[in-house]
Amino acid sequence: MWYDFYMTKQHRLRSLFAVWLCAFLFLFSNGLFPFPLETEEKLEKKFDYPAILPVEKQAEVMDNWLRIRLDTVLPEIMRREKIDMWVVICREYNEDPVFLTLVPSRWYAARRTTMLVFFDQGKEGVER
């Protein structure tokens, strides 16, 4: 080729190596010489992954966790820190950092002005 005159031996070897590497990758990635792949059944037996719940079921699980947190953890923390009333005020597109941990999973953002009020009534529990 016309540029062989300007190339050193090292450059020619690098170019030749690059050509062989590209040819090798093309042949084995294009399916001409495919590597044996494991079937889906073999993979399922090899890795025992738990089933992924549908989105609706995931929302139910998250809402149950929220109910448990609000029924058990929130009253305990409010009493320990001697807080009688906790007010979380959010504006649209400016939510409080704890807002999404206190609302059901189907709430994605605050609307206009959203207020969450938690009032500790003592033995009767926390009114929400």
Side-chain angles (χ1 to χ4, degrees):
M1 294 190 177
W2 66 271
Y3 59 84
D4 284 342
F5 178 75
Y6 297 105
M7 293 179 69
T8 64
K9 184 176 181 179
Q10 185 178 9
H11 286 104
R12 282 190 213 117
L13 288 175
R14 284 184 186 168
S15 298
L16 186 62
F17 175 74
V19 168
W20 278 105
L21 181 65
C22 289
F24 176 78
L25 291 175
F26 173 76
L27 289 175
F28 283 97
S29 66
N30 204 23
L32 297 177
F33 301 106
F35 292 110
L37 297 176
E38 295 185 31
T39 62
E40 193 171 321
E41 295 83 22
K42 286 183 182 178
L43 286 175
E44 286 178 2
K45 291 177 185 176
K46 189 174 182 179
F47 302 107
D48 190 25
Y49 291 116
I52 297 175
L53 295 175
V55 176
E56 295 85 16
K57 296 287 184 187
Q58 290 178 18
E60 289 177 17
V61 170
M62 292 168 60
D63 290 344
N64 285 334
W65 290 344
L66 173 65
R67 183 183 48 78
I68 292 169
R69 278 198 318 260
L70 292 179
D71 290 343
T72 58
V73 178
L74 183 64
E76 182 180 327
I77 292 174
M78 287 180 71
R79 290 180 188 129
R80 184 184 73 201
E81 300 300 323
K82 297 179 178 66
I83 297 173
D84 294 328
M85 183 180 284
W86 181 26
V87 180
V88 180
I89 302 173
C90 305
R91 290 189 8 226
E92 198 167 12
Y93 306 114
N94 188 17
E95 290 88 6
D96 190 278
V98 298
F99 174 74
L100 291 177
T101 64
L102 298 171
V103 295
S105 61
R106 291 176 179 90
W107 283 33
Y108 298 111
R111 307 287 190 266
R112 303 287 177 163
T113 300
T114 303
M115 294 176 56
L116 304 175
V117 179
F118 302 97
F119 178 65
D120 187 8
Q121 297 178 335
K123 294 180 181 177
E124 297 175 15
V126 175
E127 181 180 351
R128 302 176 238 163

